[in-house]
Amino acid sequence: MTQTPRIGLVGAGLMGHGIARNILRAGFPLTLLEHPGNQPMDDLVQAGAQLVSTGREVAEAADAVLLCVTGSPQVEAVLFEPGGVLEGLAPGGVVIDCSTALPGSTSRVAARVVQAGGHFMDAAMTRTPREAEEGRLNLIVGAPSALFAEMRPLLESFAENITHAGEVGAGHTLKLVHNFVSLGFSAVLAEAAAASRRAGIDDAAFLEVVGKGGGGGVVFDRLRPFIAGGDASGFRFSVANASKDLGYYHAMTDELGAGRSVAEAVEALYAGIDDQGLTVPEVIRVLEERKA
């Protein structure tokens, strides 16, 4: 690989835009796939990003291609459909999957990339679009040690905390575990906040008691602005994505034969929300208004 690797990125959405911005700031040449799901990219183009119209062209212009798409079906489509990334991937090229994906699919995808002469790693993201723009994401990486070491300077351009979880698939596995925990805490806090409001308790008192007690932590701090003032901007994670991720966790625990009784209750709560573009903090309002 060249001393300063050329980077391609597919998926300049809420998370990918920030990743792209920080890759450019770090001095990596960057090629982006034009797609209706992208955020506005004028600032990225002005900073030097090149735009192309197919995944094949992204791969042809890059030594390493990052995928920041919704889930496993989108990853497989971007890589393997006609005109996809795999068609343009040079021998020794690297695919880095930053999506939230099914570990079983990840293993199959990695095998096809390797069979085509490339290398694959999963680098699942946590945190929010705000941290993506700030270059402060958390990454959970599944990769051989040598590949992880080679790609670490690129990952450090947009991530603050990077954990090497193990071999390929470990990143996506631990991401699903993490998201179950995060969304589970969110569900518990949402139901508690809704019950507190139905009882006529002042939100400030709820926040003080729960925040200084057993409910304090990262998830509580993300929900606090919505409970206090209706501001959901710091936790821009959709109910649709929550349901998707919990469905992936369900499928993964099926494959592992692991228990998931708590996860089933959490999954049912999110599945019972009429999405309408809602974010996770807004579940509090839905539950507050819902009749028992």
Side-chain angles (χ1 to χ4, degrees):
M1 188 169 291
T2 59
Q3 187 171 4
T4 302
R6 302 166 300 152
I7 309 303
L9 187 142
V10 177
L14 287 174
M15 300 294 281
H17 181 278
I19 290 173
R21 181 179 177 184
N22 285 287
I23 287 172
L24 287 164
R25 283 178 173 172
F28 294 97
L30 181 65
T31 300
L32 300 170
L33 176 66
E34 291 189 279
H35 189 274
N38 290 340
Q39 294 291 294
M41 296 195 295
D42 291 350
D43 61 326
L44 303 179
V45 172
Q46 290 173 3
Q50 303 297 311
L51 303 181
V52 296
S53 58
T54 67
R56 175 181 56 77
E57 292 172 290
V58 172
E60 288 173 343
D63 302 300
V65 178
L66 282 83
L67 308 180
C68 300
V69 296
T70 304
S72 291
Q74 292 77 21
V75 169
E76 294 176 14
V78 161
L79 286 172
F80 305 134
E81 284 186 352
V85 167
L86 204 63
E87 287 186 7
L89 193 69
V94 180
V95 174
I96 304 174
D97 183 7
C98 295
S99 67
T100 300
L102 284 161
S105 171
T106 298
S107 296
R108 294 189 294 272
V109 165
R112 289 186 64 177
V113 171
V114 170
Q115 187 178 25
H119 305 285
F120 181 93
M121 60 192 293
D122 42 311
M125 306 173 286
T126 69
R127 292 188 165 172
T128 70
R130 179 179 297 172
E131 285 90 13
E133 291 290 338
E134 295 170 350
R136 297 178 49 247
L137 289 173
N138 293 339
L139 293 179
I140 313 165
V141 180
S145 295
L147 182 61
F148 174 68
E150 183 181 5
M151 290 292 104
R152 182 155 192 151
L154 169 63
L155 304 181
E156 288 176 341
S157 73
F158 60 89
E160 181 177 39
N161 301 302
I162 304 171
T163 300
H164 185 203
E167 294 297 317
V168 169
H172 283 155
T173 297
L174 196 51
K175 169 66 182 293
L176 293 179
V177 171
H178 168 276
N179 278 21
F180 161 56
V181 171
S182 177
L183 292 167
F185 284 175
S186 297
V188 169
L189 288 166
E191 281 201 347
S196 178
R197 286 179 172 179
R198 291 283 287 267
I201 302 296
D202 184 77
D203 285 336
F206 171 82
L207 290 169
E208 181 175 358
V209 169
V210 175
K212 291 182 178 179
V218 172
V219 174
F220 178 82
D221 289 342
R222 288 183 179 163
L223 289 173
R224 178 191 288 272
F226 183 81
I227 297 170
D231 180 8
S233 63
F235 198 172
R236 295 167 64 192
F237 196 80
S238 71
V239 170
N241 274 336
S243 294
K244 183 263 295 182
D245 288 1
L246 290 164
Y248 280 7
Y249 183 80
H250 187 139
M252 182 183 77
T253 53
D254 268 355
E255 291 181 359
L256 295 172
R260 60 159 189 274
S261 57
V262 174
E264 287 177 356
V266 174
E267 185 179 6
L269 183 143
Y270 287 103
I273 302 293
D274 185 9
D275 183 335
Q276 298 179 11
L278 297 177
T279 59
V280 167
E282 293 171 299
V283 170
I284 295 170
R285 186 180 67 246
V286 174
L287 296 179
E288 181 188 2
E289 295 172 352
R290 179 181 289 175
K291 293 182 179 180

Coordinates of all heavy atoms in Angstrom, one line a residue, residues 6 9 11 19 24 28 54 76 83 92 105 109 118 134-135 156 168 175-176 187 205 224 249 269-270 276 292:
R6 N -4.8 6.1 -0.5 CA -6.0 6.7 -1.1 C -7.2 6.1 -0.5 O -7.3 4.8 -0.4 CB -6.0 6.6 -2.6 CG -4.8 7.2 -3.3 CD -4.7 6.7 -4.7 NE -4.7 5.3 -4.8 CZ -5.1 4.6 -5.8 NH1 -5.7 5.1 -6.9 NH2 -5.0 3.2 -5.8
L9 N -15.0 6.1 0.2 CA -16.0 6.0 1.2 C -17.4 5.9 0.5 O -17.7 6.7 -0.4 CB -16.0 7.2 2.1 CG -17.0 7.1 3.3 CD1 -16.3 7.7 4.6 CD2 -18.3 7.8 3.1
G11 N -21.3 6.0 1.6 CA -22.2 6.2 2.6 C -21.8 7.5 3.4 O -21.5 7.4 4.6
I19 N -17.1 11.4 9.2 CA -15.9 10.5 8.9 C -15.1 11.1 7.7 O -13.9 11.3 7.8 CB -16.3 9.1 8.7 CG1 -16.8 8.5 10.0 CG2 -15.1 8.3 8.1 CD1 -17.4 7.1 9.8
L24 N -10.3 13.8 5.3 CA -9.7 14.9 4.5 C -8.8 15.8 5.3 O -7.8 16.2 4.9 CB -10.9 15.7 3.8 CG -11.6 15.1 2.7 CD1 -12.9 15.8 2.4 CD2 -10.7 15.0 1.5
F28 N -5.6 12.6 3.8 CA -5.8 11.4 3.0 C -6.6 11.8 1.7 O -7.6 12.5 1.8 CB -6.6 10.3 3.7 CG -5.8 9.7 4.8 CD1 -6.1 10.1 6.1 CD2 -4.9 8.7 4.6 CE1 -5.4 9.5 7.2 CE2 -4.3 8.1 5.7 CZ -4.5 8.5 7.0
T54 N -20.2 5.1 -9.1 CA -20.4 3.7 -8.9 C -19.4 3.2 -7.8 O -18.3 3.9 -7.6 CB -20.2 2.8 -10.1 OG1 -18.8 2.9 -10.5 CG2 -21.1 3.3 -11.3
E76 N -23.8 -5.9 1.4 CA -23.7 -6.9 0.4 C -24.0 -6.3 -1.0 O -23.3 -6.7 -2.0 CB -24.6 -8.1 0.7 CG -24.1 -8.9 1.9 CD -25.1 -10.0 2.3 OE1 -25.9 -10.4 1.5 OE2 -25.0 -10.5 3.4
G83 N -21.3 -3.4 -10.9 CA -20.8 -2.0 -10.7 C -20.4 -1.8 -9.3 O -20.1 -0.6 -8.9
G92 N -4.8 -6.7 -3.0 CA -4.3 -6.1 -1.8 C -5.1 -5.0 -1.3 O -4.8 -4.4 -0.2
S105 N -23.2 -12.7 8.3 CA -23.0 -12.0 7.0 C -21.6 -11.5 6.9 O -21.0 -11.6 5.8 CB -24.0 -10.9 6.8 OG -23.7 -10.1 5.7
V109 N -19.1 -12.2 3.8 CA -18.6 -11.0 3.0 C -17.0 -11.0 3.0 O -16.4 -10.9 2.0 CB -19.1 -9.7 3.6 CG1 -18.3 -8.5 3.1 CG2 -20.6 -9.6 3.2
G118 N -8.5 -9.3 -1.9 CA -8.4 -8.2 -1.0 C -8.3 -8.5 0.5 O -8.1 -9.7 0.8
E134 N -16.8 15.7 14.9 CA -15.7 16.1 15.8 C -14.5 15.2 15.7 O -13.4 15.5 16.2 CB -16.1 16.2 17.2 CG -17.2 17.2 17.5 CD -17.8 17.1 18.9 OE1 -17.5 16.1 19.6 OE2 -18.5 18.0 19.3
G135 N -14.6 14.1 14.9 CA -13.5 13.1 14.8 C -13.3 12.3 16.1 O -12.2 11.9 16.4
E156 N -7.5 6.4 13.2 CA -7.3 7.5 14.2 C -7.7 8.9 13.7 O -7.8 9.8 14.5 CB -5.8 7.5 14.7 CG -5.5 6.3 15.6 CD -4.0 6.2 15.9 OE1 -3.2 6.9 15.2 OE2 -3.7 5.5 16.9
V168 N -11.8 -11.0 12.4 CA -12.9 -10.5 11.6 C -14.2 -11.0 12.2 O -14.4 -12.2 12.5 CB -12.8 -10.9 10.1 CG1 -14.1 -10.6 9.4 CG2 -11.6 -10.2 9.5
K175 N -20.4 -4.8 18.7 CA -21.2 -3.7 18.5 C -22.7 -4.0 18.8 O -23.4 -3.2 19.4 CB -21.1 -3.2 17.0 CG -22.1 -2.2 16.6 CD -22.0 -0.8 17.3 CE -23.1 0.2 16.8 NZ -22.9 0.6 15.4
L176 N -23.1 -5.2 18.4 CA -24.5 -5.6 18.7 C -24.8 -5.8 20.2 O -25.8 -5.4 20.7 CB -24.9 -6.9 17.9 CG -24.9 -6.8 16.4 CD1 -25.3 -8.1 15.8 CD2 -25.9 -5.7 16.0
A187 N -34.5 2.2 26.9 CA -35.9 1.7 27.1 C -36.3 1.8 28.5 O -37.4 2.3 28.9 CB -36.1 0.3 26.5
A205 N -36.8 17.0 39.3 CA -36.7 16.0 40.4 C -36.3 14.6 39.9 O -35.4 13.9 40.5 CB -37.9 16.0 41.3
R224 N -31.0 13.2 28.9 CA -31.3 14.3 29.8 C -31.8 15.6 29.0 O -32.8 16.2 29.5 CB -30.1 14.7 30.6 CG -30.3 15.9 31.5 CD -29.0 16.4 32.1 NE -28.5 15.5 33.1 CZ -28.8 15.5 34.4 NH1 -29.7 16.4 34.8 NH2 -28.3 14.6 35.3
Y249 N -29.4 -8.4 16.8 CA -29.0 -9.0 18.1 C -29.8 -10.3 18.3 O -29.2 -11.3 18.7 CB -29.2 -8.0 19.3 CG -28.7 -8.6 20.6 CD1 -27.4 -8.5 20.9 CD2 -29.6 -9.1 21.5 CE1 -27.0 -9.0 22.2 CE2 -29.2 -9.6 22.7 CZ -27.9 -9.6 23.1 OH -27.4 -10.1 24.3
L269 N -40.7 -3.4 22.8 CA -41.0 -2.0 23.1 C -40.7 -1.1 21.8 O -41.6 -0.3 21.4 CB -40.2 -1.5 24.2 CG -40.5 0.0 24.7 CD1 -40.4 0.1 26.2 CD2 -39.5 1.0 24.0
Y270 N -39.6 -1.2 21.2 CA -39.3 -0.4 20.0 C -40.1 -0.8 18.8 O -40.6 0.1 18.1 CB -37.8 -0.5 19.7 CG -36.9 0.2 20.7 CD1 -36.1 -0.5 21.6 CD2 -36.8 1.6 20.6 CE1 -35.3 0.2 22.5 CE2 -35.9 2.3 21.5 CZ -35.2 1.6 22.4 OH -34.4 2.2 23.3
Q276 N -42.6 6.8 12.3 CA -42.8 8.2 11.8 C -41.6 9.1 12.0 O -41.7 10.3 12.3 CB -44.0 8.9 12.6 CG -45.3 8.1 12.4 CD -46.5 8.7 13.1 OE1 -46.3 9.8 13.7 NE2 -47.6 8.1 13.2
A292 N -52.3 2.6 29.1 CA -51.8 1.3 29.6 C -52.7 0.2 29.0 O -53.8 0.3 28.8 CB -51.8 1.2 31.1

